[in-house]
Amino acid sequence: MNTDVLTCVMTMLIYMILGYILCKSKKGSALHIKTVSGLLIYILNPAMILNAFLKTEYTPETAINILKFFVVTFILQFLFFALLYLLLHKKFENAAYRLMSIGASFGNVGFLGLPLVTSFFPDKPIVACYSTVYVLSMNLLVFTVGIFMITNDRKFMSLKSAIVNPTSLSIFVALPLFLFRVELPAIIGNPIDLLAKMVTPMCMIMLGMRLSTVKLIKLFTRPFVYATCALKLIAYPLFAYACVYFLPFLDDSFKISILILSSVPTGAVISSLSELHECEQEFSANIVLLTTILSNLTIPLVLLIA
């Protein structure tokens, strides 16, 4: 396994611990999480997406591979969700089972996935673009079938929300720059690059701050949450990798990027939407936190097959 990936995983754990200590020592407050979240969503994440495309050299083959990655990840997420739906739909009266199905299917492929995949392939900037289009494919599903699972009401499904959001809009801005090979002046490009590098530390510090508000014994003693963790951190990445492994028209970096990005913990958007619609808020937060903690163990193990 690439030792840079293990280093990246351990570094993310350290960032989370620092956020936890910051709040527990009363030097910071969980009341600030909303501000940090806004910084991530509206400034740092768009910078990360722009930076990924600006650093990737355009060729027709590169553009085709990025499009393939978008289509493949959309299909993989939908198939895994559909499989869980078939297995669990008779229990969907219990909202926890609905949260399990989407928590196991939709991961933190941007904030955490991008640094992981770029650590594995430091000489292939295209993998950063893979991460960003994975986010787009996930958003399309989260704001349609995902939000339906949370609310159990079709009226909240919104294709507009899947398209008109900071992540998707950033991709729509980045794509023309990429396709037309636009090179931004240093006075713009350098700040974008610096902001992009802040994404992972800020995301993990925020999760550590959130962890400080949770009773650890309760977080680690809910068997149902562990079942969701097993599905997201082990079953889904193995399923996704198996689906693409034997496809001859996909290269190794494409397939391994699928494995890496599928192995990341549950996306924080699941918890945010649960809070918004008042559905199993504690359970969804526990899924995000526990998958994030356990991913520091499972990601290096899953990547042994790469």
Side-chain angles (χ1 to χ4, degrees), residues 59-254:
T59 66
E61 181 183 4
T62 298
I64 290 170
N65 281 337
I66 291 171
L67 178 59
K68 283 181 185 176
F69 206 88
F70 169 78
V71 173
V72 169
T73 52
F74 182 90
I75 292 171
L76 289 174
Q77 291 171 99
F78 181 79
L79 285 177
F80 194 72
F81 167 77
L83 179 61
L84 292 178
Y85 179 86
L86 290 174
L87 294 173
L88 302 174
H89 72 277
K90 292 183 179 179
K91 299 181 180 180
F92 275 4
E93 287 300 318
N94 182 341
Y97 282 95
R98 302 199 304 270
L99 264 295
M100 173 189 276
S101 67
I102 58 173
S105 303
F106 307 132
N108 201 341
V109 293
F111 295 146
L112 303 186
L114 190 146
L116 280 172
V117 76
T118 52
S119 293
F120 203 96
F121 293 107
D123 300 324
K124 289 183 177 288
I126 188 176
V127 299
C129 297
Y130 287 164
S131 173
T132 61
V133 296
Y134 199 149
V135 175
L136 180 58
S137 69
M138 186 189 74
N139 276 350
L140 291 173
L141 290 166
V142 165
F143 286 97
T144 51
V145 296
I147 205 163
F148 172 67
M149 286 292 101
I150 291 172
T151 62
N152 206 26
D153 191 336
R154 287 184 175 84
K155 75 178 182 181
F156 292 104
M157 297 173 68
S158 173
L159 186 59
K160 179 181 177 182
S161 297
I163 297 173
V164 184
N165 60 70
T167 296
S168 300
L169 292 177
S170 300
I171 293 174
F172 298 148
V173 171
L175 278 174
L177 299 177
F178 168 68
L179 294 173
F180 294 104
R181 310 178 194 184
V182 176
E183 186 173 344
L184 297 180
I187 195 171
I188 298 175
N190 289 344
I192 289 174
D193 182 59
L194 183 59
L195 289 169
K197 292 174 181 176
M198 293 171 61
V199 168
T200 300
M202 291 301 295
C203 179
M204 297 308 295
I205 288 171
M206 182 185 72
L207 287 171
M209 294 169 70
R210 173 60 66 192
L211 184 63
S212 71
T213 67
V214 176
K215 291 183 179 179
L216 293 182
I217 190 165
K218 195 169 185 180
L219 176 65
F220 288 102
T221 55
R222 297 183 69 175
F224 201 73
V225 178
Y226 281 100
T228 308
C229 291
L231 288 169
K232 179 67 196 76
L233 300 176
I234 299 173
Y236 178 58
L238 296 180
F239 165 83
Y241 192 52
C243 286
V244 300
Y245 184 78
F246 296 103
L247 298 179
F249 55 86
L250 303 178
D251 62 31
D252 287 343
S253 63
F254 190 108

Side-chain angles (χ1 to χ4, degrees), residues 268-281:
V269 65
I270 302 301
S271 178
S272 299
L273 290 173
S274 296
E275 291 281 357
L276 179 64
H277 295 284
E278 299 182 352
C279 175
E280 291 285 349
Q281 298 97 311

